[in-house]
Coordinates of all heavy atoms in Angstrom, one line a residue:
K176 N 113.6 109.2 107.2 CA 113.0 110.5 107.0 C 111.5 110.3 106.7 O 111.2 109.6 105.7 CB 113.7 111.3 106.0 CG 113.1 112.7 105.9 CD 113.9 113.6 104.9 CE 113.3 115.0 104.8 NZ 114.1 115.8 103.8
R177 N 110.6 110.9 107.4 CA 109.2 110.7 107.2 C 108.7 111.7 106.2 O 109.1 112.8 106.1 CB 108.5 110.9 108.5 CG 107.0 110.6 108.5 CD 106.3 111.1 109.7 NE 104.9 110.6 109.9 CZ 104.0 111.1 110.7 NH1 104.4 112.1 111.5 NH2 102.8 110.5 110.8
S178 N 107.8 111.2 105.4 CA 107.1 112.0 104.4 C 105.6 111.6 104.3 O 105.3 110.5 104.7 CB 107.8 112.0 103.0 OG 107.8 110.7 102.5
L179 N 104.8 112.4 103.7 CA 103.4 112.1 103.4 C 103.2 112.1 101.9 O 103.8 112.8 101.2 CB 102.5 113.1 104.1 CG 102.6 113.3 105.6 CD1 101.7 114.4 106.1 CD2 102.3 111.9 106.4
I180 N 102.2 111.3 101.5 CA 102.0 111.1 100.1 C 100.5 111.5 99.8 O 99.6 110.9 100.4 CB 102.3 109.7 99.6 CG1 103.7 109.4 99.8 CG2 101.9 109.6 98.1 CD1 104.1 107.9 99.5
C181 N 100.3 112.4 98.9 CA 99.0 113.0 98.6 C 98.1 111.9 98.0 O 98.5 111.1 97.1 CB 99.1 114.2 97.7 SG 97.5 114.9 97.2
S182 N 96.8 111.9 98.4 CA 95.8 111.0 97.9 C 95.3 111.3 96.5 O 94.7 110.5 95.8 CB 94.6 110.9 98.9 OG 94.1 112.2 99.0
L183 N 95.6 112.5 96.0 CA 95.1 112.9 94.7 C 96.2 113.0 93.7 O 96.2 112.3 92.7 CB 94.4 114.2 94.8 CG 93.8 114.8 93.4 CD1 92.8 113.8 92.8 CD2 93.2 116.1 93.6
C184 N 97.2 113.8 94.0 CA 98.2 114.1 93.0 C 99.5 113.3 93.2 O 100.5 113.4 92.4 CB 98.6 115.6 92.8 SG 99.5 116.3 94.2
G185 N 99.6 112.5 94.3 CA 100.8 111.7 94.5 C 102.0 112.4 95.0 O 103.1 111.8 95.2
T186 N 101.9 113.7 95.2 CA 103.1 114.5 95.7 C 103.5 114.0 97.0 O 102.7 113.7 97.9 CB 102.7 116.0 95.8 OG1 102.5 116.5 94.4 CG2 103.8 116.8 96.4
E187 N 104.8 113.9 97.2 CA 105.4 113.5 98.5 C 106.1 114.7 99.2 O 106.9 115.3 98.5 CB 106.3 112.3 98.3 CG 106.8 111.7 99.6 CD 107.5 110.3 99.3 OE1 107.3 109.7 98.2 OE2 108.2 109.9 100.2
W188 N 105.8 115.0 100.4 CA 106.4 116.1 101.1 C 106.9 115.7 102.4 O 106.3 114.8 103.1 CB 105.5 117.3 101.1 CG 104.3 117.2 102.0 CD1 104.2 117.7 103.3 CD2 103.0 116.6 101.7 NE1 103.0 117.5 103.8 CE2 102.2 116.8 102.9 CE3 102.5 116.0 100.7 CZ2 100.9 116.3 103.0 CZ3 101.2 115.5 100.7 CH2 100.4 115.7 101.9
P189 N 108.0 116.3 102.9 CA 108.5 116.0 104.2 C 107.6 116.3 105.4 O 106.9 117.4 105.3 CB 109.9 116.7 104.3 CG 109.7 117.9 103.3 CD 108.8 117.3 102.2
Y190 N 107.6 115.5 106.4 CA 106.8 115.7 107.6 C 107.5 115.2 108.8 O 108.1 114.2 108.8 CB 105.4 115.0 107.4 CG 104.3 115.5 108.3 CD1 103.6 116.7 108.0 CD2 104.0 114.9 109.5 CE1 102.6 117.1 108.8 CE2 103.0 115.3 110.3 CZ 102.3 116.5 110.0 OH 101.3 116.9 110.8
R191 N 107.4 116.0 109.9 CA 108.1 115.6 111.1 C 107.6 114.3 111.6 O 106.4 114.0 111.5 CB 107.9 116.7 112.2 CG 108.7 118.0 111.9 CD 108.2 119.1 112.8 NE 108.3 118.7 114.2 CZ 107.6 119.4 115.1 NH1 106.8 120.4 114.8 NH2 107.6 119.0 116.4
R192 N 108.5 113.5 112.2 CA 108.1 112.1 112.6 C 107.1 112.1 113.8 O 106.2 111.3 113.8 CB 109.4 111.3 113.0 CG 110.2 111.0 111.7 CD 111.3 110.0 112.0 NE 110.7 108.6 112.4 CZ 111.4 107.5 112.4 NH1 112.7 107.5 112.0 NH2 110.9 106.4 112.8
I193 N 107.3 112.9 114.8 CA 106.5 112.8 116.0 C 105.4 113.9 116.0 O 105.4 114.8 116.9 CB 107.4 112.9 117.3 CG1 108.6 112.0 117.1 CG2 106.5 112.5 118.5 CD1 108.2 110.5 117.0
V194 N 104.6 113.9 115.0 CA 103.5 114.9 114.9 C 102.3 114.2 114.2 O 102.5 113.5 113.2 CB 103.9 116.1 114.0 CG1 102.7 117.1 113.9 CG2 105.1 116.8 114.6
C195 N 101.1 114.4 114.7 CA 99.9 113.8 114.0 C 99.6 114.6 112.8 O 99.5 115.8 112.8 CB 98.7 113.8 115.0 SG 97.2 113.4 114.2
P196 N 99.5 113.9 111.6 CA 99.2 114.6 110.4 C 97.8 115.0 110.2 O 97.4 115.8 109.3 CB 99.6 113.6 109.3 CG 99.4 112.3 109.9 CD 99.8 112.5 111.4
A197 N 96.9 114.6 111.2 CA 95.5 115.1 111.1 C 95.3 116.3 111.9 O 94.6 117.3 111.5 CB 94.6 113.9 111.6
C198 N 95.9 116.4 113.2 CA 95.6 117.5 114.0 C 96.8 118.3 114.5 O 96.7 119.3 115.2 CB 94.7 117.1 115.2 SG 95.7 116.1 116.4
G199 N 98.0 117.8 114.2 CA 99.2 118.4 114.6 C 99.7 118.1 116.1 O 100.6 118.7 116.6
E200 N 99.0 117.2 116.7 CA 99.4 116.8 118.1 C 100.9 116.4 118.1 O 101.3 115.6 117.3 CB 98.5 115.7 118.6 CG 98.8 115.2 120.0 CD 98.7 116.2 121.0 OE1 97.6 116.8 121.2 OE2 99.7 116.6 121.7
E201 N 101.6 116.9 119.2 CA 103.0 116.6 119.3 C 103.4 115.8 120.6 O 104.5 115.4 120.7 CB 103.9 117.9 119.3 CG 103.7 118.6 117.9 CD 104.6 119.9 117.9 OE1 105.7 119.9 118.5 OE2 104.1 120.9 117.3
D202 N 102.4 115.6 121.4 CA 102.7 114.9 122.7 C 102.9 113.4 122.4 O 101.9 112.7 122.0 CB 101.5 115.1 123.6 CG 101.8 114.5 125.0 OD1 102.7 113.7 125.2 OD2 101.0 114.7 125.9
V203 N 104.1 112.9 122.6 CA 104.4 111.5 122.2 C 103.5 110.5 123.0 O 103.3 109.4 122.5 CB 105.9 111.3 122.5 CG1 106.2 111.3 124.0 CG2 106.3 109.9 121.9
H204 N 103.0 110.9 124.2 CA 102.2 110.0 124.9 C 100.8 109.9 124.3 O 100.0 109.0 124.7 CB 102.1 110.5 126.4 CG 103.4 110.6 127.1 ND1 104.1 111.8 127.2 CD2 104.1 109.6 127.6 CE1 105.2 111.5 127.9 NE2 105.3 110.2 128.1

Side-chain angles (χ1 to χ4, degrees):
K176 182 178 181 180
R177 187 190 193 194
S178 58
L179 301 177
I180 301 173
C181 179
S182 57
L183 179 60
C184 73
T186 293
E187 188 166 342
W188 71 96
Y190 197 80
R191 289 168 52 200
R192 288 192 64 162
I193 314 298
V194 180
C195 171
C198 71
E200 179 61 60
E201 299 183 33
D202 185 347
V203 66
H204 299 99

